[in-house]
Amino acid sequence: MVLQALIFPRKDLEAKICDYRYGKRFAVQQNTDSGLRLFANFQLFQAFKYGIKYTMFTNAYNPGGGTALSNTEYVNMVGTGLVELEHYFSTDKWINPVTGLDELIPDHSSKGWTNLGATYFNVNAGDPKAELFPNHGQELYDISGGKYGYDVVNGVAGVSNLSELKGIKERQTAWFDSLELKPCSAFSYRNGRDISPEVYKKLYLFGRQSNTNGAYYYYGKSKIDGIALGNDLQQSRKDLVDRRITTRWVDSYISTNPGAQEKANQLLRDKTMQAYTNRGAYTDFSHHHSAKTNQALEDLCKTLGTYLDSSGLRNECWIAGFGELSEYYWFRELTKKAVATVMHSKVYITLLWEDLKTIQNGLSDGILLEQLNTPLSIEIDLTGTPLADKSIKSTGGKLMRLGNNKYLVDFPFRNAVEGIKSVVLEVGEGNYYDNVSLSVSYYKNGNQVTIYTNKDTRAVVFTTSTDIYSIAPVLYSNDLNTSHTFNIDTANINYVGVVDELGKTRLIEI
């Protein structure tokens, strides 16, 4: 037998694994579900106006019905970079293990068992039952006598081997694939039914439950100084697929209690400051449609965006998608350390991983590595190296100049999974994030308008015949460019929003 030793490269320079993407100090995350058109259109307008990215949890079953966004509208919104789509998991559905049909779990929403329920489960037709029952996992296992579901206590799958659950995820994956969207890495529970979260570890990195914990900002521990980010907790895979949210702004806002609206807005400010103070991740879930009107919904992005600006916190905040948060968290957690080695006038950045071969994509604490699509941010100082004071390029992702020979380097997960693989920095013309302030102007000739920006952006034209509360995005230019030309309806009131790769936005009337 020949033994092979893996020799890790020497450390010549510090290579810091950033707590958050782009080297930010803390994170703020907004999310909603259903994708109802009236509110989604206005919220995208607000996202451009106040620079707030958000996540919509939705699915192939079109939970918003006839008032929901179409597939094309979803794709266009996600293409701006200001909207992230993740999975709204239909906890009331299964792929029938007997027929293979995609349908509601028998009698799930009923208050009594019917003949259908008695066909699949060990129950009697006519007997009363709890509403929104049974759910995937332990409940299905118990009620079927082990035919379906998963026995959490003993770690045993039913005879179906969870086909009823896996099939729902497969349908969602197929829908995302058909839209050519980034695969889901996170999900939320329909109706808040976070029963047996263990079974979802096989499918996702993070899961969002419906309950709040106003003190929850957990984001692991810093690889730079070992400080707990947000909360000093031990969170398992099970905990993170059943992750609490910090607040539900809209529920507080629509309360009939005196002063409810300002209290809800102040809560956004206070929780944002707390996340900054403890270097944590603040997540807020709000049903946009629960605000009832866009006039009420306006306060959400307005309060958060203006506070980030007035407090001076925006430049230290990663305004992330929920899925992005989950991917960066696990990429960082899987990395023991990073080193930078100088060889032959180049700098090699190498990550030392946990033992990835022990990680299984089963019902264990294993990570679904294929879902890690958000790159790790590595900070490096090239002072005193052959690359100092020179233009450099990277074999990995993009670069960001920090000044005085310091850089942020994107490290894509694909660059190192097994063995030793590195991102290499060398002299050349690199691909850089442009971190300067975003400016915009336009030239109008009849109904044709051309938008000019000082760096690459995406652009959207919004139009209304009345006021901004009934506004809709009508024209998209989602390819990064410094100019965008549109033919607009001059009889209406028109706005254009632009956004760069880093999420910086501007909104102007044209």
CSV table of all heavy atoms in Angstrom, one decimal, residues 243-298:
chain,number,residue,atom,x,y,z
A,243,ARG,N,-34.4,27.9,11.5
A,243,ARG,CA,-33.8,29.2,12.0
A,243,ARG,C,-34.9,30.2,12.3
A,243,ARG,O,-35.8,30.5,11.5
A,243,ARG,CB,-32.9,29.7,11.0
A,243,ARG,CG,-32.1,31.0,11.4
A,243,ARG,CD,-31.2,31.5,10.3
A,243,ARG,NE,-30.6,32.8,10.6
A,243,ARG,CZ,-29.4,32.9,11.1
A,243,ARG,NH1,-28.6,31.8,11.3
A,243,ARG,NH2,-28.9,34.1,11.4
A,244,ARG,N,-34.9,30.8,13.5
A,244,ARG,CA,-35.8,31.8,13.9
A,244,ARG,C,-35.5,33.1,13.2
A,244,ARG,O,-34.3,33.3,12.7
A,244,ARG,CB,-35.8,32.1,15.4
A,244,ARG,CG,-36.5,31.0,16.2
A,244,ARG,CD,-36.4,31.3,17.7
A,244,ARG,NE,-37.2,30.2,18.4
A,244,ARG,CZ,-38.4,30.4,18.9
A,244,ARG,NH1,-39.1,31.5,18.6
A,244,ARG,NH2,-39.0,29.4,19.5
A,245,ILE,N,-36.5,34.0,13.0
A,245,ILE,CA,-36.2,35.3,12.5
A,245,ILE,C,-36.2,36.3,13.7
A,245,ILE,O,-36.7,36.0,14.8
A,245,ILE,CB,-37.3,35.7,11.5
A,245,ILE,CG1,-38.7,35.4,12.1
A,245,ILE,CG2,-37.1,35.1,10.2
A,245,ILE,CD1,-39.9,35.7,11.2
A,246,THR,N,-35.6,37.4,13.5
A,246,THR,CA,-35.5,38.4,14.6
A,246,THR,C,-36.8,39.1,14.8
A,246,THR,O,-37.2,39.3,15.9
A,246,THR,CB,-34.3,39.4,14.3
A,246,THR,OG1,-33.2,38.7,13.8
A,246,THR,CG2,-33.9,40.1,15.6
A,247,THR,N,-37.4,39.6,13.7
A,247,THR,CA,-38.6,40.4,13.8
A,247,THR,C,-39.6,40.1,12.7
A,247,THR,O,-39.2,39.5,11.6
A,247,THR,CB,-38.3,41.9,13.8
A,247,THR,OG1,-37.6,42.2,12.5
A,247,THR,CG2,-37.5,42.4,15.0
A,248,ARG,N,-40.8,40.5,12.9
A,248,ARG,CA,-41.9,40.5,11.8
A,248,ARG,C,-42.4,41.9,11.8
A,248,ARG,O,-43.4,42.2,12.4
A,248,ARG,CB,-42.9,39.4,12.1
A,248,ARG,CG,-42.5,38.0,12.0
A,248,ARG,CD,-43.6,37.0,12.4
A,248,ARG,NE,-44.7,37.0,11.5
A,248,ARG,CZ,-45.1,36.0,10.8
A,248,ARG,NH1,-44.5,34.8,11.0
A,248,ARG,NH2,-46.1,36.1,10.0
A,249,TRP,N,-41.8,42.8,11.0
A,249,TRP,CA,-42.1,44.2,11.0
A,249,TRP,C,-43.6,44.4,10.7
A,249,TRP,O,-44.2,45.2,11.4
A,249,TRP,CB,-41.2,44.9,10.0
A,249,TRP,CG,-41.7,46.3,9.8
A,249,TRP,CD1,-41.4,47.4,10.5
A,249,TRP,CD2,-42.6,46.8,8.7
A,249,TRP,NE1,-42.0,48.5,10.0
A,249,TRP,CE2,-42.7,48.2,8.9
A,249,TRP,CE3,-43.2,46.1,7.6
A,249,TRP,CZ2,-43.5,48.9,8.0
A,249,TRP,CZ3,-44.0,46.9,6.8
A,249,TRP,CH2,-44.1,48.3,7.0
A,250,VAL,N,-44.1,43.8,9.7
A,250,VAL,CA,-45.5,44.1,9.3
A,250,VAL,C,-46.5,43.8,10.3
A,250,VAL,O,-47.5,44.5,10.5
A,250,VAL,CB,-45.8,43.5,7.9
A,250,VAL,CG1,-46.1,42.0,8.1
A,250,VAL,CG2,-47.0,44.2,7.3
A,251,ASP,N,-46.3,42.7,11.1
A,251,ASP,CA,-47.2,42.3,12.1
A,251,ASP,C,-47.3,43.4,13.2
A,251,ASP,O,-48.4,43.7,13.7
A,251,ASP,CB,-46.9,41.0,12.7
A,251,ASP,CG,-47.0,39.8,11.7
A,251,ASP,OD1,-47.5,40.1,10.6
A,251,ASP,OD2,-46.6,38.7,12.1
A,252,SER,N,-46.1,43.9,13.5
A,252,SER,CA,-46.1,45.0,14.5
A,252,SER,C,-46.7,46.3,13.9
A,252,SER,O,-47.4,47.0,14.6
A,252,SER,CB,-44.6,45.3,14.9
A,252,SER,OG,-44.0,44.2,15.5
A,253,TYR,N,-46.5,46.5,12.7
A,253,TYR,CA,-46.9,47.8,12.0
A,253,TYR,C,-48.4,47.9,11.9
A,253,TYR,O,-49.0,49.0,12.1
A,253,TYR,CB,-46.3,47.9,10.6
A,253,TYR,CG,-46.4,49.2,9.9
A,253,TYR,CD1,-45.5,50.2,10.1
A,253,TYR,CD2,-47.5,49.4,9.1
A,253,TYR,CE1,-45.6,51.4,9.5
A,253,TYR,CE2,-47.7,50.7,8.4
A,253,TYR,CZ,-46.7,51.6,8.6
A,253,TYR,OH,-46.8,52.9,8.0
A,254,ILE,N,-49.1,46.8,11.6
A,254,ILE,CA,-50.5,46.8,11.4
A,254,ILE,C,-51.3,46.6,12.7
A,254,ILE,O,-52.6,46.5,12.7
A,254,ILE,CB,-51.0,45.8,10.4
A,254,ILE,CG1,-50.7,44.3,10.9
A,254,ILE,CG2,-50.3,46.0,9.0
A,254,ILE,CD1,-51.2,43.2,9.9
A,255,SER,N,-50.6,46.5,13.8
A,255,SER,CA,-51.3,46.3,15.1
A,255,SER,C,-52.2,47.5,15.4
A,255,SER,O,-51.9,48.6,14.9
A,255,SER,CB,-50.3,46.2,16.2
A,255,SER,OG,-50.8,46.4,17.5
A,256,THR,N,-53.3,47.3,16.1
A,256,THR,CA,-54.2,48.4,16.5
A,256,THR,C,-53.8,49.1,17.7
A,256,THR,O,-54.5,50.0,18.2
A,256,THR,CB,-55.6,47.8,16.6
A,256,THR,OG1,-55.6,46.8,17.7
A,256,THR,CG2,-56.1,47.3,15.3
A,257,ASN,N,-52.7,48.7,18.3
A,257,ASN,CA,-52.2,49.4,19.5
A,257,ASN,C,-51.7,50.8,19.2
A,257,ASN,O,-51.2,51.1,18.1
A,257,ASN,CB,-51.0,48.6,20.1
A,257,ASN,CG,-51.4,47.3,20.7
A,257,ASN,OD1,-52.6,47.1,21.1
A,257,ASN,ND2,-50.5,46.3,20.6
A,258,PRO,N,-51.9,51.7,20.1
A,258,PRO,CA,-51.5,53.1,19.9
A,258,PRO,C,-50.0,53.2,19.6
A,258,PRO,O,-49.2,52.6,20.2
A,258,PRO,CB,-51.8,53.8,21.3
A,258,PRO,CG,-52.9,53.0,21.9
A,258,PRO,CD,-52.6,51.6,21.5
A,259,GLY,N,-49.7,54.0,18.5
A,259,GLY,CA,-48.3,54.3,18.1
A,259,GLY,C,-47.7,53.1,17.5
A,259,GLY,O,-46.4,53.0,17.4
A,260,ALA,N,-48.4,52.1,17.0
A,260,ALA,CA,-47.9,50.8,16.5
A,260,ALA,C,-46.9,51.0,15.3
A,260,ALA,O,-45.9,50.4,15.2
A,260,ALA,CB,-49.0,49.9,16.1
A,261,GLN,N,-47.3,52.0,14.4
A,261,GLN,CA,-46.5,52.1,13.2
A,261,GLN,C,-45.1,52.7,13.6
A,261,GLN,O,-44.1,52.1,13.1
A,261,GLN,CB,-47.2,53.1,12.3
A,261,GLN,CG,-48.5,52.5,11.7
A,261,GLN,CD,-49.2,53.4,10.8
A,261,GLN,OE1,-48.8,54.5,10.5
A,261,GLN,NE2,-50.4,52.9,10.3
A,262,GLU,N,-45.0,53.7,14.4
A,262,GLU,CA,-43.7,54.2,14.7
A,262,GLU,C,-42.9,53.2,15.6
A,262,GLU,O,-41.7,53.1,15.5
A,262,GLU,CB,-43.8,55.6,15.5
A,262,GLU,CG,-42.5,56.2,15.9
A,262,GLU,CD,-41.5,56.2,14.7
A,262,GLU,OE1,-41.8,56.4,13.6
A,262,GLU,OE2,-40.3,56.0,15.0
A,263,LYS,N,-43.6,52.5,16.4
A,263,LYS,CA,-42.9,51.5,17.2
A,263,LYS,C,-42.3,50.4,16.3
A,263,LYS,O,-41.2,49.9,16.6
A,263,LYS,CB,-43.8,50.9,18.2
A,263,LYS,CG,-44.2,51.8,19.4
A,263,LYS,CD,-45.2,51.1,20.3
A,263,LYS,CE,-45.6,52.1,21.5
A,263,LYS,NZ,-46.6,51.4,22.4
A,264,ALA,N,-43.0,50.0,15.3
A,264,ALA,CA,-42.5,49.0,14.4
A,264,ALA,C,-41.3,49.5,13.6
A,264,ALA,O,-40.3,48.8,13.4
A,264,ALA,CB,-43.6,48.6,13.4
A,265,ASN,N,-41.4,50.8,13.2
A,265,ASN,CA,-40.3,51.4,12.5
A,265,ASN,C,-39.1,51.6,13.4
A,265,ASN,O,-37.9,51.3,12.9
A,265,ASN,CB,-40.7,52.8,11.9
A,265,ASN,CG,-41.7,52.6,10.8
A,265,ASN,OD1,-41.8,51.6,10.2
A,265,ASN,ND2,-42.4,53.7,10.5
A,266,GLN,N,-39.3,51.9,14.6
A,266,GLN,CA,-38.2,52.1,15.6
A,266,GLN,C,-37.5,50.7,15.8
A,266,GLN,O,-36.3,50.6,16.1
A,266,GLN,CB,-38.6,52.7,16.9
A,266,GLN,CG,-37.5,53.1,17.8
A,266,GLN,CD,-36.5,54.0,17.2
A,266,GLN,OE1,-36.9,55.0,16.5
A,266,GLN,NE2,-35.2,53.7,17.4
A,267,LEU,N,-38.4,49.7,15.8
A,267,LEU,CA,-37.8,48.3,16.0
A,267,LEU,C,-36.8,48.0,14.9
A,267,LEU,O,-35.8,47.4,15.2
A,267,LEU,CB,-39.0,47.3,16.0
A,267,LEU,CG,-38.6,45.9,16.5
A,267,LEU,CD1,-38.2,45.9,17.9
A,267,LEU,CD2,-39.8,45.0,16.3
A,268,LEU,N,-37.1,48.3,13.7
A,268,LEU,CA,-36.2,48.1,12.6
A,268,LEU,C,-34.9,48.8,12.9
A,268,LEU,O,-33.8,48.2,12.7
A,268,LEU,CB,-36.8,48.7,11.3
A,268,LEU,CG,-37.8,47.8,10.5
A,268,LEU,CD1,-38.3,48.6,9.3
A,268,LEU,CD2,-37.3,46.5,10.1
A,269,ARG,N,-34.9,50.0,13.3
A,269,ARG,CA,-33.7,50.8,13.6
A,269,ARG,C,-32.9,50.2,14.7
A,269,ARG,O,-31.7,50.0,14.6
A,269,ARG,CB,-34.1,52.3,13.9
A,269,ARG,CG,-34.8,53.0,12.8
A,269,ARG,CD,-35.1,54.4,13.3
A,269,ARG,NE,-36.1,55.1,12.4
A,269,ARG,CZ,-37.4,55.3,12.7
A,269,ARG,NH1,-37.8,55.0,13.9
A,269,ARG,NH2,-38.2,55.9,11.8
A,270,ASP,N,-33.6,49.8,15.8
A,270,ASP,CA,-33.0,49.3,17.0
A,270,ASP,C,-32.3,48.0,16.7
A,270,ASP,O,-31.2,47.7,17.1
A,270,ASP,CB,-34.0,49.1,18.1
A,270,ASP,CG,-34.5,50.4,18.7
A,270,ASP,OD1,-33.8,51.5,18.4
A,270,ASP,OD2,-35.5,50.4,19.4
A,271,LYS,N,-33.0,47.1,15.9
A,271,LYS,CA,-32.4,45.8,15.6
A,271,LYS,C,-31.3,45.9,14.7
A,271,LYS,O,-30.3,45.1,14.7
A,271,LYS,CB,-33.5,44.9,15.1
A,271,LYS,CG,-34.7,44.6,16.1
A,271,LYS,CD,-34.1,44.0,17.4
A,271,LYS,CE,-35.3,43.7,18.3
A,271,LYS,NZ,-34.8,43.1,19.6
A,272,THR,N,-31.3,46.9,13.8
A,272,THR,CA,-30.2,47.1,12.9
A,272,THR,C,-29.0,47.5,13.6
A,272,THR,O,-27.9,47.0,13.4
A,272,THR,CB,-30.6,48.1,11.8
A,272,THR,OG1,-31.7,47.6,11.0
A,272,THR,CG2,-29.4,48.4,10.9
A,273,MET,N,-29.2,48.4,14.6
A,273,MET,CA,-28.0,48.9,15.4
A,273,MET,C,-27.5,47.8,16.3
A,273,MET,O,-26.3,47.6,16.5
A,273,MET,CB,-28.5,50.1,16.2
A,273,MET,CG,-27.4,50.6,17.2
A,273,MET,SD,-25.8,51.0,16.4
A,273,MET,CE,-26.2,52.5,15.6
A,274,GLN,N,-28.4,46.9,16.8
A,274,GLN,CA,-28.0,45.8,17.6
A,274,GLN,C,-27.1,44.8,16.8
A,274,GLN,O,-26.1,44.3,17.3
A,274,GLN,CB,-29.1,45.1,18.2
A,274,GLN,CG,-28.8,44.0,19.2
A,274,GLN,CD,-28.0,44.6,20.4
A,274,GLN,OE1,-28.3,45.6,20.9
A,274,GLN,NE2,-27.0,43.9,20.9
A,275,ALA,N,-27.5,44.6,15.5
A,275,ALA,CA,-26.8,43.7,14.7
A,275,ALA,C,-25.4,44.3,14.4
A,275,ALA,O,-24.4,43.6,14.4
A,275,ALA,CB,-27.5,43.4,13.4
A,276,TYR,N,-25.3,45.6,14.2
A,276,TYR,CA,-24.0,46.2,14.0
A,276,TYR,C,-23.2,46.1,15.3
A,276,TYR,O,-22.0,45.7,15.2
A,276,TYR,CB,-24.2,47.7,13.7
A,276,TYR,CG,-23.0,48.5,13.8
A,276,TYR,CD1,-22.0,48.5,12.9
A,276,TYR,CD2,-22.7,49.3,15.0
A,276,TYR,CE1,-20.8,49.2,13.0
A,276,TYR,CE2,-21.6,50.0,15.1
A,276,TYR,CZ,-20.6,50.0,14.1
A,276,TYR,OH,-19.4,50.7,14.3
A,277,THR,N,-23.8,46.3,16.4
A,277,THR,CA,-23.0,46.3,17.7
A,277,THR,C,-22.4,44.9,17.9
A,277,THR,O,-21.3,44.7,18.3
A,277,THR,CB,-23.9,46.7,18.8
A,277,THR,OG1,-24.4,48.0,18.6
A,277,THR,CG2,-23.2,46.7,20.2
A,278,ASN,N,-23.3,43.8,17.7
A,278,ASN,CA,-22.8,42.5,18.1
A,278,ASN,C,-22.3,41.7,16.8
A,278,ASN,O,-22.1,40.5,16.9
A,278,ASN,CB,-23.9,41.7,18.8
A,278,ASN,CG,-25.2,41.5,18.0
A,278,ASN,OD1,-25.1,41.4,16.7
A,278,ASN,ND2,-26.3,41.3,18.6
A,279,ARG,N,-22.2,42.4,15.7
A,279,ARG,CA,-21.6,41.8,14.5
A,279,ARG,C,-22.4,40.7,14.0
A,279,ARG,O,-21.9,39.7,13.5
A,279,ARG,CB,-20.1,41.4,14.7
A,279,ARG,CG,-19.2,42.6,14.9
A,279,ARG,CD,-17.9,42.2,15.5
A,279,ARG,NE,-17.1,41.2,14.7
A,279,ARG,CZ,-16.0,40.7,15.1
A,279,ARG,NH1,-15.4,41.0,16.2
A,279,ARG,NH2,-15.4,39.8,14.3
A,280,GLY,N,-23.7,40.8,14.2
A,280,GLY,CA,-24.6,39.6,13.8
A,280,GLY,C,-25.4,39.8,12.5
A,280,GLY,O,-25.2,40.8,11.8
A,281,ALA,N,-26.3,38.9,12.3
A,281,ALA,CA,-27.2,38.9,11.1
A,281,ALA,C,-28.6,39.1,11.6
A,281,ALA,O,-29.2,38.3,12.3
A,281,ALA,CB,-27.0,37.6,10.4
A,282,TYR,N,-29.2,40.3,11.2
A,282,TYR,CA,-30.6,40.6,11.5
A,282,TYR,C,-31.5,40.2,10.4
A,282,TYR,O,-31.3,40.6,9.2
A,282,TYR,CB,-30.7,42.1,11.8
A,282,TYR,CG,-32.0,42.7,11.8
A,282,TYR,CD1,-33.1,42.0,12.4
A,282,TYR,CD2,-32.3,44.0,11.4
A,282,TYR,CE1,-34.4,42.5,12.4
A,282,TYR,CE2,-33.6,44.5,11.4
A,282,TYR,CZ,-34.6,43.8,12.0
A,282,TYR,OH,-35.9,44.3,12.0
A,283,THR,N,-32.5,39.4,10.6
A,283,THR,CA,-33.4,38.9,9.6
A,283,THR,C,-34.8,39.4,10.0
A,283,THR,O,-35.3,39.2,11.2
A,283,THR,CB,-33.4,37.4,9.4
A,283,THR,OG1,-33.6,36.7,10.7
A,283,THR,CG2,-32.1,36.9,8.9
A,284,ASP,N,-35.5,39.9,9.1
A,284,ASP,CA,-36.9,40.3,9.3
A,284,ASP,C,-37.8,39.7,8.2
A,284,ASP,O,-37.5,39.7,7.0
A,284,ASP,CB,-37.1,41.8,9.2
A,284,ASP,CG,-38.6,42.2,9.3
A,284,ASP,OD1,-39.1,42.3,10.4
A,284,ASP,OD2,-39.2,42.5,8.2
A,285,PHE,N,-38.9,39.0,8.6
A,285,PHE,CA,-39.9,38.5,7.7
A,285,PHE,C,-41.1,39.3,7.8
A,285,PHE,O,-41.7,39.5,8.9
A,285,PHE,CB,-40.2,37.0,8.1
A,285,PHE,CG,-41.4,36.5,7.3
A,285,PHE,CD1,-41.4,36.3,6.0
A,285,PHE,CD2,-42.5,36.2,8.0
A,285,PHE,CE1,-42.5,35.8,5.3
A,285,PHE,CE2,-43.7,35.7,7.3
A,285,PHE,CZ,-43.6,35.5,6.0
A,286,SER,N,-41.6,39.7,6.6
A,286,SER,CA,-42.9,40.5,6.6
A,286,SER,C,-43.7,40.0,5.4
A,286,SER,O,-43.2,40.1,4.2
A,286,SER,CB,-42.6,42.0,6.5
A,286,SER,OG,-42.1,42.5,7.7
A,287,HIS,N,-44.9,39.5,5.6
A,287,HIS,CA,-45.8,39.3,4.5
A,287,HIS,C,-46.1,40.7,3.9
A,287,HIS,O,-46.9,41.5,4.6
A,287,HIS,CB,-47.1,38.7,5.0
A,287,HIS,CG,-47.1,37.3,5.3
A,287,HIS,ND1,-47.3,36.7,6.5
A,287,HIS,CD2,-46.9,36.2,4.4
A,287,HIS,CE1,-47.2,35.4,6.4
A,287,HIS,NE2,-46.9,35.1,5.2
A,288,HIS,N,-45.7,41.0,2.7
A,288,HIS,CA,-45.9,42.3,2.2
A,288,HIS,C,-47.4,42.6,2.0
A,288,HIS,O,-47.9,43.7,2.2
A,288,HIS,CB,-45.2,42.4,0.8
A,288,HIS,CG,-43.7,42.5,0.9
A,288,HIS,ND1,-42.8,42.3,-0.1
A,288,HIS,CD2,-42.9,42.7,2.0
A,288,HIS,CE1,-41.6,42.4,0.3
A,288,HIS,NE2,-41.6,42.6,1.6
A,289,HIS,N,-48.1,41.5,1.6
A,289,HIS,CA,-49.6,41.7,1.4
A,289,HIS,C,-50.3,42.0,2.7
A,289,HIS,O,-51.4,42.5,2.7
A,289,HIS,CB,-50.2,40.5,0.7
A,289,HIS,CG,-49.8,39.2,1.3
A,289,HIS,ND1,-48.6,38.6,1.0
A,289,HIS,CD2,-50.5,38.4,2.2
A,289,HIS,CE1,-48.5,37.4,1.7
A,289,HIS,NE2,-49.6,37.3,2.4
A,290,SER,N,-49.7,41.6,3.9
A,290,SER,CA,-50.4,41.9,5.1
A,290,SER,C,-50.4,43.4,5.5
A,290,SER,O,-51.2,43.8,6.3
A,290,SER,CB,-49.7,41.2,6.3
A,290,SER,OG,-49.8,39.8,6.2
A,291,ALA,N,-49.6,44.2,4.8
A,291,ALA,CA,-49.7,45.6,5.0
A,291,ALA,C,-50.9,46.2,4.4
A,291,ALA,O,-51.3,47.3,4.7
A,291,ALA,CB,-48.4,46.3,4.3
A,292,LYS,N,-51.6,45.4,3.5
A,292,LYS,CA,-52.9,45.8,2.9
A,292,LYS,C,-52.8,46.8,1.8
A,292,LYS,O,-53.4,46.7,0.7
A,292,LYS,CB,-53.9,46.3,3.9
A,292,LYS,CG,-54.2,45.4,5.1
A,292,LYS,CD,-54.8,44.1,4.7
A,292,LYS,CE,-55.1,43.2,5.8
A,292,LYS,NZ,-55.6,41.8,5.5
A,293,THR,N,-51.9,47.8,2.0
A,293,THR,CA,-51.7,48.8,0.9
A,293,THR,C,-50.3,49.1,0.8
A,293,THR,O,-49.5,48.9,1.7
A,293,THR,CB,-52.4,50.2,1.3
A,293,THR,OG1,-51.8,50.7,2.5
A,293,THR,CG2,-53.9,50.0,1.6
A,294,ASN,N,-49.9,49.6,-0.4
A,294,ASN,CA,-48.5,50.0,-0.6
A,294,ASN,C,-48.2,51.2,0.1
A,294,ASN,O,-47.0,51.5,0.4
A,294,ASN,CB,-48.3,50.2,-2.1
A,294,ASN,CG,-48.1,48.8,-2.8
A,294,ASN,OD1,-47.6,47.9,-2.3
A,294,ASN,ND2,-48.5,48.8,-4.1
A,295,GLN,N,-49.1,52.0,0.5
A,295,GLN,CA,-48.9,53.2,1.3
A,295,GLN,C,-48.3,52.8,2.6
A,295,GLN,O,-47.4,53.5,3.2
A,295,GLN,CB,-50.1,54.1,1.5
A,295,GLN,CG,-50.6,54.8,0.2
A,295,GLN,CD,-51.4,54.1,-0.7
A,295,GLN,OE1,-51.4,52.8,-0.7
A,295,GLN,NE2,-52.2,54.7,-1.5
A,296,ALA,N,-48.9,51.7,3.2
A,296,ALA,CA,-48.3,51.2,4.5
A,296,ALA,C,-47.0,50.5,4.3
A,296,ALA,O,-46.0,50.7,5.0
A,296,ALA,CB,-49.3,50.2,5.1
A,297,LEU,N,-46.9,49.7,3.2
A,297,LEU,CA,-45.7,48.9,2.9
A,297,LEU,C,-44.5,49.9,2.7
A,297,LEU,O,-43.3,49.5,2.9
A,297,LEU,CB,-45.9,48.0,1.7
A,297,LEU,CG,-44.7,47.1,1.3
A,297,LEU,CD1,-44.4,46.1,2.5
A,297,LEU,CD2,-45.1,46.3,0.1
A,298,GLU,N,-44.7,51.1,2.2
A,298,GLU,CA,-43.7,52.0,1.9
A,298,GLU,C,-42.7,52.2,3.1
A,298,GLU,O,-41.5,52.4,2.9
A,298,GLU,CB,-44.3,53.4,1.5
A,298,GLU,CG,-43.2,54.4,1.1
A,298,GLU,CD,-43.9,55.7,0.7
A,298,GLU,OE1,-45.1,55.9,1.0
A,298,GLU,OE2,-43.3,56.5,-0.1
